[in-house]
Amino acid sequence: MQQTATNATISELRDRIQHLEGGPVRTRKMLPFGVPAIDGVLPGGGLAYGALHEVAGGGTGTVDGAAAALFVAGIAARTRGKIVWCLTRPDLFFPALAQAGLQANRVVFVESDKEEDVLANMQEALGYGGLGAVVGEIVRLPMTASRRLQLAAEKTGTIGLAVRRWRRQSEANDFGQPTASTTRWRVSVLPSEELPVPGVGRPRWLLELMRSRAGECAEFAVGACDDKGRIHLSAGSAHGSHSSSRSLAAG
Amino acid sequence: MTRVVSIYLPDLPTDRIRRADPSLPADQPIAVIARSGAKRWVSSADVAARKAGVRVGMAAAKAQALFQGLTMIDADPVADAQALERITLWALTQYSPIVAIDALDGIVMDTEGADHLQGGEESMLIGIANRFRGKALTARIAIADTWGAAHACARAIRRETVVVPRGETVRAVERLPISLLRLPEKIVGDLRTLGFQSIGELSATPRAPLALRFGPEIGRRLDQMFAHLAEPIDPIRSLEFLEVSRSFAEPIGAAETIDKYVGRLVVQLCDALQRQGLGARRIDLIVEKVDGTRQAIRAGTAKPARDVAWLTKLFRDRTEKIEPGFGIEKLSLVAVMSEPLAETQRSSSLIEEDTRDIVPLIDVFGNRGSRVYRVAPVASDVPERSLHRIAAASDDIDVSWSHHWRRPVRLLLHPELIEVIALLPDHPPVSVTWRGKRRKVKRADGPERIFGEWWQRTSEWVAVRDYFVIEDDTGERLWIYRSGDGVDAATGSHRWFIHGIFA
């Protein structure tokens, strides 16, 4: 209760400052995760629309970026409108994204040969407006490029999601470089939730919020996206099924 | 620097006859007979006829005597020319904005900046060859730096396609006969008399005496071939195309000026389309410069379009690629492909903005050379066959994947062989070694058995894959399978592969 009151005061102050600055007064919308612990840490109570967010995999996941991609797919699934997904390596297996609640009809893939084209296509899509989210799988994200993406996103209020994935694990040092993105996440795999029987339970991730503009860093152990793209805070025990409907949980 | 493709159709007259009359058996030799005065001679012979010994230029009576079963058909140069024009117009809509008829039996086109859309020059040429073969037309295709070089190479090769790399023109053509220089027959004959055989010999000879004896023609053709002299291709046009153009008394060159006039032309073109109830699918912007060269920019749309803002955007993106050189004399905008487009009610502002049409955005991506697609389910249990790409602008598909098993986020393009310690037949592995890293399996799900699809390939009649989801002690989750059911050797090799990575 205390926390929300403080947040309200701060956001009111922020609005007033923005008003004094004379910039365009935007009503910034948020996409909450629906997990109070995470939304509480993020300024505004969720992932900001009209901003660029960066997600990378941790550990060996920096190369394949599987967890990062699914995390992003879960976010995209909770938005409305078409999704533009820009990439160079077409190894995404869509049935998995469909299991995270992302409909195939909503996603338009844009595959290019060069890394720069991915950035240009992302910028184009972010500037177009009216989309749910724009996702790009990129290796390098220089400061200028990220600033362009951030500005394009701000202009139309579209969410920009950059999945950072590298070709070699050694390249992942690049993730330390500063960018203009609003938040920066790292998703690493954790052992799955324990089941009372042998088998792989609901996947769990270590979600690290490594940077958040005007906010604090934090980390969470979460259960991976369910069939509506939602994550939940994981206690590491056997509660919570993989899907929201019981009948599908037979596996 | 231009890149020119020359398509040589050596058997056009006989191919045309075959296309017009499909009942002709494939092995029936055909010769086309032309008349000059009282003389009747063979002007074209197909492969079967040539095998029988019929040669072009042979007297008709001799050809008939040579081979009894020869079908002889009177030549119809007008019909041949019409057929060639039809093919050329078709190639214009398919491959490049600058396409023209080359002599009597070929097509020439400038594909600079168009090949990347078809996977590079090599695969573009193979693609063209396949399309022509599919249309029952024999074609030999060459790409080179200049029209002259491509023309000569297409006619000299025995293979179907040849790519002359950039800057290698001299090496490619020096041994070719002088008859491929596109010179009048009289000059070629005289040069032969003088002892010239190859283009290399001719180009090494001092120009002045040649010019004195034969006029400027030889020097001009040689210069054109070696790109010392520009040879613009005048693109073929059809009356059906909607075309708007603007000539400038004073050549223009500044980017803003070009943008301004392109914008005006788009408005004019949209008006013209509107009058005819059409929407453009492919539009070419042809830039004619003062030095006689042409540059073309093609924009395509996924759906018929008549929207000024949309079409302007497609060109604005790329007007920076125009090299004005010494100035631009004329800009033309041609709708080379258009389809009927009826007026429809646009979504009003009462409806939420969410339903914004993204076809214009798709076109921007497509014209940049990116592949734009959606994926759709295929009714197949085999993972790599369970989806296919569909056009990004196609209608929504109602079905989705109905897997009760979890699917990995990344699917490896080719399953990779792994080393596994496992108890047969249906226990999950105990340890897995992939890319040199050994992992202990902590937890596993499976097996999920996937059967081969015998209706796809008979070799899959009994094939089986047993998939397992495994998790190692660090929490990484992998999708692995054993080829075969673990008991019967006929069902697979019993080797283990990794196929995907879970989140």
Side-chain angles (χ1 to χ4, degrees), chain B residues 27-323:
Chain B
D27 53 353
Q28 169 69 44
I30 300 179
V32 175
I33 307 300
R35 265 171 214 278
S36 37
K39 214 171 118 198
R40 294 175 71 235
W41 51 283
V42 177
S43 70
S44 179
D46 72 349
V47 182
R50 284 202 298 272
K51 212 173 272 171
V54 179
R55 294 282 172 270
V56 173
M58 191 182 258
K62 190 177 171 194
Q64 201 163 23
L66 208 72
F67 191 73
Q68 286 295 323
L70 191 66
T71 305
M72 292 169 54
I73 295 168
D74 285 340
D76 188 351
V78 178
D80 287 343
Q82 281 170 349
L84 186 61
E85 191 179 331
R86 268 202 311 279
I87 300 167
T88 312
L89 282 172
W90 169 81
L92 174 71
T93 59
Q94 295 296 313
Y95 295 110
S96 156
I98 300 187
V99 178
I101 295 174
D102 182 15
L104 294 171
D105 49 7
I107 299 171
V108 64
M109 51 199 193
D110 184 347
T111 58
E112 175 68 27
D115 56 286
H116 71 281
L117 295 174
Q118 320 218 14
E121 292 181 343
E122 184 87 50
S123 55
M124 177 176 72
L125 293 198
I126 291 168
I128 296 174
N130 288 341
R131 293 287 286 276
F132 272 81
R133 202 180 312 117
K135 289 176 178 288
L137 288 165
T138 316
R140 302 224 191 94
I141 304 156
I143 185 165
D145 282 345
T146 59
W147 183 349
H151 176 99
C153 291
R155 280 152 181 79
I157 51 167
R158 293 192 184 281
R159 283 181 295 154
E160 238 177 0
T161 61
V162 66
V163 175
V164 179
R166 281 177 195 275
E168 301 260 320
T169 309
V170 177
R171 229 167 46 124
V173 300
E174 63 185 357
R175 286 167 185 278
L176 299 183
I178 48 171
S179 58
L180 297 175
L181 261 178
R182 293 181 290 161
L183 288 168
E185 255 174 65
K186 174 80 172 62
I187 297 185
V188 174
D190 290 353
L191 283 171
R192 285 231 178 85
T193 317
L194 291 175
F196 289 108
Q197 291 298 324
S198 71
I199 293 173
E201 284 169 26
L202 192 62
S203 66
T205 311
R207 286 283 172 84
L210 284 177
L212 205 60
R213 166 75 178 78
F214 297 103
E217 195 63 16
I218 298 175
R220 196 167 65 89
R221 286 299 189 197
L222 283 172
D223 282 346
Q224 284 174 342
M225 176 172 270
F226 297 117
H228 302 309
L229 194 67
E231 188 179 13
I233 300 170
D234 194 7
I236 187 170
R237 284 290 167 251
S238 155
L239 289 174
E240 292 164 24
F241 296 166
L242 286 175
E243 176 166 357
V244 290
S245 61
R246 163 95 199 207
S247 305
F248 304 102
E250 197 66 29
I252 60 163
E256 305 86 62
T257 325
I258 299 173
D259 267 355
K260 186 174 84 185
Y261 285 110
V262 169
R264 286 187 190 170
L265 287 176
V266 169
V267 174
Q268 283 182 29
L269 186 69
C270 285
D271 284 348
L273 288 165
Q274 166 95 40
R275 276 197 293 279
Q276 306 214 1
L278 294 171
R281 287 293 309 276
R282 245 163 240 180
I283 303 180
D284 293 339
L285 172 68
I286 306 222
V287 180
E288 287 174 43
K289 301 174 208 166
V290 279
D291 57 357
T293 56
R294 277 192 189 81
Q295 197 183 342
I297 292 179
R298 165 167 286 184
T301 59
K303 282 183 178 169
R306 198 167 59 206
D307 187 73
V308 175
W310 174 359
L311 297 178
T312 313
K313 169 87 181 113
L314 293 186
F315 285 106
R316 279 277 156 80
D317 259 13
R318 292 188 295 163
T319 40
E320 64 196 39
K321 289 217 178 100
I322 296 177
E323 297 147 14

Side-chain angles (χ1 to χ4, degrees), chain A residues 15 28 40 50:
Chain A
D15 284 351
R28 295 200 93 180

Side-chain angles (χ1 to χ4, degrees), chain A residues 61-221:
Chain A
T62 51
V63 178
D64 57 69
L70 194 64
F71 176 64
V72 157
I75 296 169
R78 290 183 288 116
T79 61
R80 297 185 57 205
K82 294 268 186 190
I83 314 282
V84 171
W85 196 300
C86 309
L87 39 79
T88 50
R89 281 180 283 175
D91 58 353
L92 212 58
F93 192 47
F94 206 89
L97 305 191
Q99 284 176 343
L102 196 59
Q103 291 159 13
N105 285 331
R106 289 181 60 202
V107 185
V108 173
F109 287 101
V110 184
E111 183 189 325
S112 6
D113 298 323
K114 282 184 306 210
E115 184 79 12
E116 304 87 75
D117 293 343
V118 172
L119 290 170
N121 288 338
M122 274 184 82
Q123 194 187 335
E124 190 71 44
L126 282 170
Y128 187 76
L131 301 171
V134 177
V135 186
E137 293 185 13
I138 37 186
V139 178
R140 306 195 68 80
L141 184 62
M143 188 65 183
T144 24
S146 68
R147 200 172 282 145
R148 275 197 205 125
L149 295 180
Q150 170 75 27
L151 287 173
E154 275 175 22
K155 202 178 82 190
T156 58
T158 312
I159 245 178
L161 299 161
V163 176
R164 308 290 307 272
R165 64 183 293 213
W166 290 272
R167 288 167 299 243
R168 279 174 295 280
Q169 206 153 342
S170 55
E171 287 180 321
N173 294 334
D174 188 49
F175 201 46
Q177 302 294 323
T179 60
S181 35
T182 304
T183 62
R184 179 183 275 190
W185 302 81
R186 187 153 72 186
V187 190
S188 344
V189 288
L190 290 179
S192 59
E193 283 172 7
E194 268 176 43
L195 295 177
V197 289
V200 184
R202 178 170 173 176
R204 290 195 311 136
W205 296 331
L206 177 68
L207 193 59
E208 294 167 84
L209 177 57
M210 300 173 72
R211 189 194 121 88
S212 158
R213 194 188 282 172
E216 282 167 31
C217 302
E219 45 185 76
F220 316 92

